[in-house]
Amino acid sequence: MPLDTAQTGPRSRRLTSHETRQRLEHARNSRLAQLRALDESAQSTDAHLVSAQTEAIQRVLTEIDEAFARVEDDTYGICQGCAKPIPAERLEILPYTRYCVACQGRATA
Ligand SMILES: [Zn+2]
């Protein structure tokens, strides 16, 4: 009977800091592109909507900057709520998140 079953399960590989930076870079570039697009549509679109969207994107850009700092500090991928590692699948979707799902729920509730 194999010894190495059940315990580990499918395991997601954690990214290297180089890969993490690339991913954050990508997230930042796409937000910057969104800002430019919003800027261009600002004339023809509802100004309130544009400024709300701009603010939301700028908040994300701030979070991305903070995530870069955490890569430098070597605290990237650690939940700031419970200090446990954030699952790799979650970082895949939200590379700049600072909370695991449970703590995110508490933080935004
Ligand atoms: Zn947590």
Side-chain angles (χ1 to χ4, degrees), residues 21-104:
R21 280 199 199 86
Q22 279 187 325
R23 214 168 260 225
L24 289 171
E25 200 75 61
H26 180 78
R28 178 152 69 188
N29 287 341
S30 66
R31 291 318 182 288
L32 290 172
Q34 282 175 3
L35 277 184
R36 274 195 299 275
L38 273 178
D39 216 34
E40 279 159 24
S41 67
Q43 311 298 328
S44 53
T45 327
D46 176 30
H48 268 299
L49 189 69
V50 169
S51 79
Q53 285 177 337
T54 303
E55 266 176 48
I57 295 169
Q58 272 161 353
R59 260 201 301 278
V60 172
L61 283 168
T62 305
E63 290 193 37
I64 292 172
D65 277 344
E66 288 170 1
F68 269 111
R70 290 197 297 278
V71 174
E72 298 302 321
D73 286 356
D74 220 15
T75 56
Y76 178 83
I78 304 292
C79 174
Q80 295 193 333
C82 62
K84 289 186 191 136
I86 300 168
E89 306 79 56
R90 176 162 169 78
L91 291 173
E92 188 121 349
I93 304 162
L94 278 173
Y96 47 83
T97 190
R98 60 181 117 170
Y99 294 120
C100 70
V101 177
C103 293
Q104 180 81 67

